């Protein structure tokens, strides 16, 4: 790919006003599109610009959030508060739960699956055909076999199919990825049923990929039964730049405390470190603390319910114009017939063969849904 002149980095320094002007036009272009970004799970309704002071300090959370490393220039006190809050949302006992802020959902999935295959080294990894592609990458990196299990008609991992496959693995155990909000439809796997089904292989370790749904399901029914309430669940991943809204990608990885240890990893840093990296973004942890403390459980619940209402509204409007929408229970993803290409592009829709979807994260308004429906309706006349 060629590099446009405005982006090229020259041998000599460029004047600050020129650089700012280039960036300002970048920001303006991004913001212009925002209201019409309907196909992706990132909530764009946020503002952190008054926290710009954080951009003038280097905040590096090396090692475990609970470990004090030598450099001691970190936001770990905020990170611990974030982890405790999210652990409670996930029905974990904060004292019995380890967690940290990762670079994104994929790293949080890698962390959880690494714990799972450590506990059950003979086990294969099972995930549904609708699981996120990061699971495939992770299995490849771990040199582990990934068994792809069929979905039922509602895009959920089919427990009967899982049981059949696990029966031939009797004695090896099973590491199962349950998806809490699949990427295309937002479907939520039934963790209790999957755990039962996988027991045909022996011991069961379940990792929850709640990258998409982790800040929604705690508020949309079954708040007490999801997450670590199920004893076979060992770990959980939740992306924080999706429902919450963040200017940088980040996620939370959680696991049961007995799955980590407290060895100091390297005299150089002097920290205990069960994370997958070394340096980690203290900026992300500070912004997360600010966002979560500002909303609280009550604010998150209101946001989740409002997103669900907008999804139901979108499904109704799309049905009225004959687009065959499908909305899974407790999902904010509406899947419908793929409109003409210019509509997909105008509204940044995600598409898969003859279907498209919108995700009603908080910046998606009813007005913009109406506008989408008008544009689709116009093409049908
Ligand atoms: C978004 C998503 C991921 C990946 O998370 P990133 O934060 O983008 O790395 C994994 N699984 C599911 C189900 C997702 O929706």
């Amino acid at each position: 790919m060629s590099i446009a002149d405005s982006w090229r980095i020259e041998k000599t320094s460029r004047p600050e006003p020129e650089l700012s002007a280039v960036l300002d036009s970048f920001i303006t272009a991004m913001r212009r599109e925002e209201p019409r970004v309907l196909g992706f799970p990132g909530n764009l309704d946020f503002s952190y610009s008054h926290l710009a002071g954080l951009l003038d300090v280097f905040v590096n959370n090396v090692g475990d959030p609970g470990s004090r490393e030598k450099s001691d220039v970190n936001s770990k006190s905020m990170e611990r508060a974030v982890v405790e809050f999210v652990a409670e949302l996930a029905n974990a006992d904060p004292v019995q739960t380890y967690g940290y802020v990762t670079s994104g959902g994929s790293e949080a999935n890698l962390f959880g699956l690494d714990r799972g295959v450590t506990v059950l080294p003979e086990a294969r990894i099972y995930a549904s055909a609708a699981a996120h592609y990061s699971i495939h990458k992770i299995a490849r990196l771990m040199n582990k076999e990934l068994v792809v299990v069929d979905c039922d008609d509602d895009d959920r991992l089919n427990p009967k199919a899982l049981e059949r496959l696990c029966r031939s693995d009797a004695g090896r155990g099973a590491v199962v990825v349950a998806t809490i909000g699949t990427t295309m439809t937002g479907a939520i796997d039934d963790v209790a049923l999957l755990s039962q089904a996988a027991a045909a292989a022996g011991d069961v370790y379940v990792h929850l990929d709640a990258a998409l749904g982790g800040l929604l399901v705690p508020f949309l029914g079954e708040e007490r039964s999801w997450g670590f309430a199920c004893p076979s669940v060992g770990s959980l991943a939740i992306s924080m730049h999706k429902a919450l809204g963040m200017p940088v990608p980040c996620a939370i990885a959680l696991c049961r405390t007995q799955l980590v240890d407290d060895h100091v990893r390297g005299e150089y840093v002097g920290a205990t470190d069960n994370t997958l990296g070394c340096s980690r973004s203290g900026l992300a942890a500070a912004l997360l603390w600010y966002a979560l403390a500002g909303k609280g459980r009550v604010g998150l619940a209101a946001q989740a319910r409002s997103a669900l209402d907008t999804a139901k509204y979108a499904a109704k409007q799309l049905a009225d114009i004959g687009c065959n929408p499908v909305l899974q229970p407790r999902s904010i993803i509406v899947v419908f017939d793929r409109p003409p290409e210019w509509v997909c592009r105008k509204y940044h829709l995600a598409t898969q063969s003859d279907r498209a979807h919108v995700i009603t994260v908080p910046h998606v308004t009813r007005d913009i849904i109406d506008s989408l429906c008008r544009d689709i309706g116009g093409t049908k006349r």
Side-chain angles (χ1 to χ4, degrees):
M1 285 255 271
S2 67
I3 298 169
D5 282 345
S6 60
W7 297 121
R8 183 156 290 124
I9 298 171
E10 310 285 357
K11 214 180 211 165
T12 53
S13 101
R14 283 165 66 178
E16 161 57 27
E18 187 186 314
L19 299 178
S20 288
V22 173
L23 281 176
D24 284 345
S25 60
F26 169 77
I27 294 165
T28 305
M30 295 284 284
R31 302 228 54 174
R32 195 169 47 230
E33 290 304 305
E34 273 179 8
R36 286 184 282 103
V37 177
L38 302 192
F40 298 93
N43 170 16
L44 306 179
D45 180 19
F46 60 80
S47 176
Y48 298 88
S49 49
H50 50 295
L51 306 180
L54 282 169
L55 297 183
D56 287 331
V57 288
F58 177 55
V59 191
N60 190 357
N61 292 6
V62 176
D64 291 335
S67 172
R68 184 157 175 194
E69 87 277 5
K70 287 176 181 162
S71 67
D72 214 14
V73 283
N74 59 61
S75 61
K76 288 185 180 179
S77 47
M78 288 186 258
E79 184 176 31
R80 288 194 295 274
V82 165
V83 168
E84 178 181 286
F85 176 78
V86 174
E88 280 173 352
L89 283 184
N91 291 314
D93 171 358
V95 179
Q96 297 300 324
T97 307
Y98 170 85
Y100 73 100
V101 177
T102 67
S103 61
S106 303
E107 181 189 337
N109 280 337
L110 175 57
F111 173 83
L113 284 170
D114 180 49
R115 295 300 83 213
V117 302
T118 304
V119 177
L120 299 175
E122 301 297 319
R124 298 196 288 178
I125 300 172
Y126 297 83
S128 87
H132 191 258
Y133 78 92
S134 62
I135 306 301
H136 294 255
K137 278 195 210 169
I138 291 164
R140 175 168 54 80
L141 282 168
M142 290 178 162
N143 207 10
K144 285 277 171 186
E145 192 179 344
L146 176 66
V147 183
V148 177
V149 187
D150 288 342
C151 289
D152 62 17
D153 292 342
D154 292 327
D155 209 32
R156 313 201 306 172
L157 195 154
N158 185 338
K160 289 210 176 69
L162 177 65
E163 186 175 351
R164 260 195 311 278
L165 290 160
C166 282
R167 229 179 271 135
S168 59
D169 263 5
R172 288 176 73 171
V175 172
V176 182
V177 178
T179 308
I180 306 300
T182 59
T183 308
M184 270 316 279
T185 71
I188 298 169
D189 287 341
D190 187 325
V191 180
L193 280 184
L194 298 186
S195 305
Q196 256 171 36
D203 291 337
V204 178
Y205 180 102
V206 178
H207 169 72
L208 294 186
D209 178 0
L212 183 65
L215 286 186
L216 300 169
V217 288
F219 309 107
L220 303 178
E222 296 177 43
E223 16 304 77
R224 290 275 128 238
S225 57
W226 90 286
F228 288 92
C230 182
S232 56
V233 170
S235 50
L236 186 150
I238 306 182
S239 289
M240 288 289 146
H241 54 276
K242 293 185 175 175
L244 184 62
M246 289 284 287
V248 290
C250 59
I252 304 285
L254 296 176
C255 77
R256 295 189 192 269
T257 305
Q258 77 249 30
L259 301 174
V260 297
D261 62 42
D262 54 6
H263 295 158
V264 171
R265 302 294 154 140
E267 203 192 332
Y268 170 70
V269 287
T272 67
D273 190 1
N274 289 281
T275 73
L276 294 178
C278 176
S279 293
R280 290 187 299 110
S281 173
L283 172 63
L287 294 174
L288 264 183
W289 172 81
Y290 176 86
L292 291 171
K295 289 181 199 280
R297 227 179 225 261
V298 174
L300 289 175
Q303 186 179 294
R305 280 194 296 268
S306 163
L308 188 65
D309 285 347
T310 309
K312 287 177 180 163
Y313 177 81
K316 164 134 197 347
Q317 300 310 108
L318 286 161
D320 285 352
I321 55 168
C323 289
N324 302 307
V326 172
L327 176 60
Q328 298 294 344
R330 293 185 287 149
S331 168
I332 61 165
I333 302 183
V334 186
V335 186
F336 57 99
D337 293 341
R338 181 178 185 148
E341 205 45 41
W342 69 267
V343 177
C344 293
R345 237 177 291 132
K346 176 171 174 185
Y347 294 93
H348 303 266
L349 302 182
T351 55
Q352 196 164 66
S353 63
D354 59 347
R355 301 282 275 172
H357 77 208
V358 296
I359 309 188
T360 58
V361 277
H363 73 270
V364 176
T365 62
R366 290 183 183 217
D367 283 350
I368 205 77
I369 297 291
D370 291 343
S371 156
L372 167 71
C373 290
R374 270 196 307 276
D375 277 344
I376 297 175
T379 69
K380 290 192 161 191
R381 270 194 296 279

